Amino acid sequence: MENEVIEFDIGLGGGVGSSGREVDDDGVDIEHQADDEDMIDSPQNISGGGVFGSGSGEIYLPDGDLLDLEPYEGMEFESEEAAKAFYNSYARRVGFSTRVSSSRRSRRDGAIIQRQFVCAKEGFRNLNEKRTKDREIKRPRTITRVGCKASLSVKMQDSGKWVVSGFVREHNHELVPPDQVHCLRSHRQISGPAKTLIDTLQAAGLGPRRIMSALIKEYGGISKVGFTEVDCRNYMRNNRQKSLEGDIQLLLDYLKQMQAENDNFFYAVQSDEDQSVCNVFWADSRSRMNYTYFGDTVTFDTTYRSNRYRLPFAPFTGVNHHGQPILFGCAFMINESELSFVWLFKTWLVAMSGRPPVSVTTDHDAVIGSAIAQVFPETRHRICKWHIFKKCQEKLSQVFFKHPAFEADFHKCVNLTESVDEFESCWLALIHRYDLRDHEWLQTIYSARRHWVPVYLRDTFFAEMSITQRSDSMNSYFDGYINASTNLNQFFKLYEKALESRNEKEVKADYDTMNTSPVLKTPSPMEKQASEFYTRKLFIRFQEELVGTLTFMASKVDDDSEIITYQVAKYGEDHKSYYVKFNVPEMRATCSCQMFEFSGLLCRHVLAVFRVTNVLTLPPHFIRKRWTRNAKSSVTLEEHANSLYTNYLESHTVRYNTLRHEAFKYVDEGAKSLDVYDVAMSALQDAAKKVGLASKNEGRAVMVNGRSKDDLMRHRSSYNISTGRSHMTAGQSLSEEDMDRKIGELINELESANRKCELYRANLLSVLKEIEDHKLQLAIKVQNVKISMKDGI
């Protein structure tokens, strides 16, 4: 077979990187292939049909006895590609991976006239000192080059044939067994039928892992599939990027049209060095306006960036005064580097008038976390707890299987602990109980515990109704509209449909709040007050807390002058207590559960303290405007009008609580001994007489410009004496009786003027309230007409 020519019907793919070039003594250019070891986890040409595939991605191997043929010097091939394919098929059978080492070109026409194919473990890694010095390598790759000498050299003859000019059989390392050959880089390829199946399953919404499971079942084993899950994932990502590159102009045209229709529409585009679009952000006028009302907490929803979706879509969302999701802007993230996220967050901040939120919630992503720390250094960053739990099912699957009780214990540790110390103790016990001290992923999320464990986050506002809810997942604004099969052509209609639907739901909630009255469950003035301030959903949530106080007892445990500490617990459950600190003069209270700080609604523990201390209505500083029916109103006079009665009650309540607080001091001291008791009782009797006398004279001591009549008389007398004038001089001064009468007339005029002012103010406030209500009802009617017209079309 010395002169036999081996023919392979095959087309070579890419996989050759940049090359270095030198010239030999014969004037022939020598090319050395660049070190491609850093790409060891990727097949050479996944998207182009495989290393040794034709345009259709098929592989052609020798038939019959040629399958067992070993290279030898003098062996001829029809082309360089055929020689390369043969050596690679030989390598697959033996158990090693190949690559191109060097080439020689003719100086006459630049054509390649010699190739050398080597074992992938040939040579040694080229450690570039400057490269390693200038940048820190976070995840250095393992050393794979061991100086193997195995190789095949071919040279082109004058006849155009390629002949083997050198062959080294021996390797200095172990060869790979047949069931692992598919993991070698030069043998990893996705065939045409496999691509078709991947495309079909990806369109159906399956992720790389489930697709690989289907392929393994279809081909009868992973070794027969011919590639790994990493290759499948890369192929799917490349498909998605190519599809987006073709459709991205549609998105830009849409955004330009929207901006032409509304000057307040904002959009920005980030481009790379080649002027190709990397990322796009936009926010309509409603989104920007909503942020001015409800921009205290923001969720950056990265759900749609996963491989199971075609769209790398990421909306900024929040929560309105009805607890409904609202939109603060959208982004298409084609490039997901840290620089891209920094650009996105800065651009979003510009669109939102430069006002950062109090808190932001994202998925567990180190790149996103780093970008947030740079752009929002003062904003509290929370990692979505629901995503952490979801990741647990993947990272701890073996632990769940081995220890069925672990999952429940893990959830209790995270959700039900009431303090940092309790969580730390519970976590340590959990790790020791299940022998997970060395579990890398658990250590990672523990290091980030301040960003996702509830006890570390309760001191910051996140607009959530309860600190004990089991699933605080990021409720996507577009859930139910965008799914795994949505492409960019469909996206615009679904996007607008989602906006209309969310807006309609807000209008409906506004209508229900303004035109229907909730059922009150207690005679409490506080409940009636809350029903007039809060939106319907928020009132129902507050009502739950208010009714819940009936099962709690509040006992005073410490009295430090102005601040009293109460222990609040259910009947018979003193072991599970909450502690409320109540500042009586300022009417401010804080609870150890920190529900108000976290959600903006008072907890049942503070409300229980209000009940036992006779606080009849909510102090104004405990009513957050963002939860009220007037959250989007700029009229503050209406709130003042509604709070007139409240202010009266609160002033009475403050006086009541302050007096009782001071009186109890004397009661506690006076009961210590009989002598002290007699003194205290005598003092109380004297005080009772003075209080009774003051009650009888209430209203008689008339005030003029802040001074009583007696003060005015003393001031008048001193004035006359100092000027040398006697108030008894006839014709020069009024008699005392005339003076009293004149003062009385002036006081009556002043009181009449005050009554008229109050009447005018009340009328004005009433008119303003009616105008505001009318505006809201008109807005609701206009929106309903728009929706009905669109439905009719």
Side-chain angles (χ1 to χ4, degrees), residues 415-451:
N415 288 318
L416 301 184
T417 47
E418 296 292 340
S419 66
V420 171
D421 291 339
E422 185 182 353
F423 167 78
E424 295 288 352
S425 175
C426 185
W427 181 274
L428 187 63
L430 185 75
I431 297 301
H432 281 280
R433 186 183 310 139
Y434 295 101
D435 193 21
L436 297 170
R437 290 179 294 275
D438 299 325
H439 196 285
E440 184 177 352
W441 187 77
L442 278 178
Q443 290 299 323
T444 299
I445 63 170
Y446 176 74
S447 300
R449 62 193 181 279
R450 289 177 175 81
H451 294 285

Side-chain angles (χ1 to χ4, degrees), residues 167-299:
F167 172 61
V168 178
R169 177 189 299 105
E170 294 78 13
H171 297 262
N172 66 348
H173 56 87
E174 293 185 4
L175 299 175
V176 174
D179 61 341
Q180 298 177 13
V181 168
H182 67 281
C183 296
L184 295 172
R185 185 184 174 205
S186 69
H187 307 307
R188 288 159 54 183
Q189 51 198 313
I190 301 180
S191 65
K195 289 181 181 180
T196 301
L197 184 55
I198 292 174
D199 293 342
T200 302
L201 296 178
Q202 184 180 12
L206 272 67
R209 181 165 300 174
R210 295 178 65 186
I211 289 177
M212 280 302 295
S213 298
L215 288 167
I216 291 171
K217 186 176 181 180
E218 176 72 18
Y219 285 91
I222 183 65
S223 61
K224 294 183 180 179
V225 172
F227 53 89
T228 66
E229 184 179 326
V230 173
D231 304 333
C232 180
R233 191 182 301 274
N234 290 339
Y235 173 76
M236 293 172 65
R237 184 185 64 240
N238 292 338
N239 266 1
R240 185 177 63 177
Q241 289 183 349
K242 286 183 178 180
S243 175
L244 283 173
E245 288 170 4
D247 293 339
I248 199 68
Q249 190 58 43
L250 294 174
L251 175 62
L252 297 180
D253 292 342
Y254 174 82
L255 298 179
K256 290 177 182 177
Q257 178 185 348
M258 296 298 292
Q259 190 178 58
E261 295 175 358
N262 190 330
D263 292 339
N264 290 325
F265 187 91
F266 179 98
Y267 83 95
V269 179
Q270 182 190 28
S271 302
D272 58 17
E273 296 177 355
D274 299 328
Q275 299 303 310
S276 298
V277 175
C278 290
N279 301 297
V280 182
F281 167 78
W282 74 94
D284 59 24
S285 57
R286 174 180 286 273
S287 297
R288 301 176 72 183
M289 183 60 69
N290 279 337
Y291 186 79
T292 64
Y293 304 128
F294 310 112
D296 41 16
T297 184
V298 175
T299 293

Side-chain angles (χ1 to χ4, degrees), residues 142 185 789:
T142 57
R185 185 184 174 205
M789 290 177 66

